[in-house]
Amino acid sequence: MTFAATILTLYPEMFPGPLGVSLAGRALAEGKWSLNAVQMRDFATDKHRSVDDTPAGGGAGMVLRPDILAAAVDSVAPGVPVLAMTPRGRPLSQQRVREIAGGPGVAILCGRFEGFDERIFEARDIEPVSIGDYILSGGEIAALVTLDACIRLLPGVMGAASSGMDESFETGLLEYPQYTRPQLWEGRAIPEVLRSGDHAKIAAWRKARAEDDTRLRRPDLWERYSGARVQPPSGARQQTKEE
Ligand code: SAH
């Protein structure tokens, strides 16, 4: 089955861009996914083909018009989730990526300027998605990020089928650190345990490193992970916090 990606953008020439090479590029050529980059300006109705206007209430920049956005969204064949790239969205997660990759495709609305007229989120079923707490100049790179994360999970795209479940976030932890030859480099040796051939010991070492690094680098992930593991015995204690 082909995973159908539709991108609604003012810069369709940015696609497939980096997704035209390597793993994603090969998968595109093989028809494992398809790409339709749609020029949003084609939905403009006036002779200047305008897609934006000044912000209500004042302020800098321009805002994408809801009527243009709606026409673009309505042109997408139904049955796929419609995402809008915005720093005001829910942070993209590996779990959501996995859900999307398991479906028939995705449509992604790319913002520019100051972003979208908010009414589009009320009038259409659109999921606001952020790729992180920083501001990009447009939604296109965020859409490429989102698509890349989905495409590598499509059946037959990744070489080693196993490399999917072991990654950072899939376990709730960052991945353990990786090493390869040369054995000794600039006076630094690969950790001895990785050369021991003792699979149980290696697994224990990797788990410990994954936990240490997560605790130090991502206290937010660590809190969730360790909190989820340390469950009070059922019925032993009264719930103190209301959900
Ligand atoms: N004024 C807006 C930012 C506009 S940036 C605000 O402060 O919320 C212009 C466009 O870039 C946005 O409409 C969005 O499509 C995209 N963009 C910027 N940062 C992003 C992020 N972190 N995640 C997803 N999209 C982003």
Side-chain angles (χ1 to χ4, degrees), residues 85-88 109-116 129-139 142:
M85 297 294 109
T86 165
R88 284 169 40 81
L109 201 50
C110 302
R112 278 274 155 180
F113 323 120
E114 291 310 314
F116 311 104
V129 170
S130 164
I131 67 157
D133 292 343
Y134 38 78
I135 307 292
L136 305 169
S137 52

Side-chain angles (χ1 to χ4, degrees), residues 1-6 32-34 76-83 96-97 99-108 147 150 154:
M1 206 181 64
T2 301
F3 181 85
T6 304
K32 297 195 168 91
W33 66 289
S34 69
V76 176
V80 299
V82 181
L83 276 43
R96 186 66 187 117
V97 164
E99 287 166 9
I100 294 169
V106 68
I108 306 181
L147 260 187
C150 292
L154 299 177

Side-chain angles (χ1 to χ4, degrees), residues 1 4-5 19 23 45 51 63 92 94 109 117-118 135 154 164 179 187 191 193 195 204 218 233 235 237 242:
M1 206 181 64
L19 298 183
L23 227 95
T45 47
V51 294
V63 177
L92 186 66
Q94 186 63 18
L109 201 50
D117 184 306
E118 186 65 16
I135 307 292
L154 299 177
Y179 299 86
V193 58
R195 299 193 283 138
R218 292 293 303 274
R237 180 155 75 89
E242 278 187 76

